[in-house]
Amino acid sequence: DTEVTQTPKHLVMGMTNKKSLKCEQHMGHRAMYWYKQKAKKPPELMFVYSYEKLSINESVPSRFSPECPNSSLLNLHLHALQPEDSALYLCASSQNRGAWPTDTQYFGPGTRLTVL
Amino acid sequence: GQQVMQIPQYQHVQEGEDFTTYCNSSTTLSNIQWYKQRPGGHPVFLIQLVKSGEVKKQKRLTFQFGEAKKNSSLHITATQTTDVGTYFCAGPGDDKIIFGKGTRLHILP
């Protein structure tokens, strides 16, 4: 299985809502990532987990809270978001051997988030 | 900071014409990766180049890594409508992959 899955595909939320994005992979990868992608821009790294521990936080606002319950799952909890947070949120995984966190990224289909 | 520059930003070609996108780094890279993102889709890994001067082919796609390991190119021969999308190069930074801004390819029928 070479797939990374993400739910939901689309999410519309108000600025006072709390929601969560979910990501799952069954490739045995031990590094998992959250990226944010705005239209016509490259993916922008938010967080990296290695062996279920948060390794990199790219100075992301606290209204985004990541969680890695186990080696296959990655969540992103959202609270009090702003309209400018509307974007495609991509989960990715990699093998976490040798060259991590710069080794090949396997991306999920993403969650398209709209904040009203 | 480390940068990966990619040109052109956009390219419109007639179906059947060739297409090339170029990637340049401010520093020597240990490897370069290429990804394709279809409209409405997500980035999909295409290939990784590691050796100086390396050339790899995938059907109509030819990938090159420069001798100095600071530049790379992706060339598509005889484009087809299925080639539409944004092509990103990416190089290893200190603690993350550095993506180029991408080249958006449009195919005119």
Side-chain angles (χ1 to χ4, degrees):
Chain A
D1 187 355
T2 58
E3 192 178 52
V4 177
T5 58
Q6 288 187 246
T7 56
K9 289 186 178 180
H10 301 274
L11 179 63
V12 179
M13 60 186 290
M15 290 189 285
T16 58
N17 293 157
K18 286 185 179 180
K19 296 287 184 182
S20 297
L21 310 184
K22 297 185 182 300
C23 173
E24 189 169 7
Q25 59 90 11
H26 293 289
M27 294 180 279
H29 290 174
R30 301 311 297 268
M32 296 187 76
Y33 309 73
W34 280 115
Y35 286 87
K36 174 182 178 179
Q37 187 179 29
K38 289 280 204 179
K40 301 183 181 180
K41 300 289 186 183
E44 179 184 337
L45 184 66
M46 300 174 73
F47 302 103
V48 183
Y49 273 84
S50 172
Y51 290 89
E52 296 94 69
K53 294 191 187 305
L54 182 63
S55 299
I56 296 173
N57 177 340
E58 289 287 304
S59 302
V60 178
S62 60
R63 57 186 184 267
F64 296 91
S65 175
E67 178 195 19
C68 190
N70 60 53
S71 60
S72 300
L73 294 174
L74 186 66
N75 299 322
L76 185 63
H77 303 297
L78 314 173
H79 175 55
L81 294 193
Q82 304 296 311
E84 59 264 29
D85 296 322
S86 298
L88 179 67
Y89 287 84
L90 294 160
C91 173
S93 68
S94 70
Q95 288 185 331
N96 196 3
R97 290 187 301 186
W100 98 277
T102 61
D103 52 358
T104 301
Q105 311 278 290
Y106 293 87
F107 287 90
T111 294
R112 196 161 296 279
L113 174 67
T114 303
V115 182
L116 301 176
Chain B
Q2 188 174 5
Q3 293 186 18
V4 174
M5 310 298 290
Q6 193 173 353
I7 57 170
Q9 190 174 0
Y10 300 97
Q11 185 83 53
H12 298 259
V13 299
Q14 292 281 348
E15 188 174 5
E17 290 183 340
D18 292 356
F19 159 79
T20 304
T21 173
Y22 301 90
C23 190
N24 289 284
S25 169
S26 55
T27 59
T28 301
L29 301 171
S30 59
N31 68 79
I32 189 97
Q33 299 171 28
W34 286 92
Y35 294 80
K36 176 184 178 181
Q37 186 170 17
R38 294 178 182 271
H42 59 280
V44 174
F45 172 72
L46 294 177
I47 207 161
Q48 176 173 280
L49 304 173
V50 178
K51 298 178 183 177
S52 169
E54 189 170 13
V55 178
K56 286 189 176 180
K57 292 191 175 185
Q58 291 179 350
K59 297 182 180 179
R60 295 178 294 104
L61 277 61
T62 302
F63 303 84
Q64 293 189 331
F65 200 11
E67 294 288 343
K69 301 183 75 173
K70 285 187 173 184
N71 59 76
S72 181
S73 65
L74 158 59
H75 179 82
I76 303 178
T77 304
T79 54
Q80 299 176 359
T81 55
T82 53
D83 297 323
V84 165
T86 301
Y87 294 85
F88 293 101
C89 62
D94 290 337
D95 59 357
K96 62 184 177 184
I97 283 183
I98 309 293
F99 284 90
K101 292 189 175 181
T103 296
R104 187 179 298 267
L105 173 61
H106 296 267
I107 307 288
L108 304 169

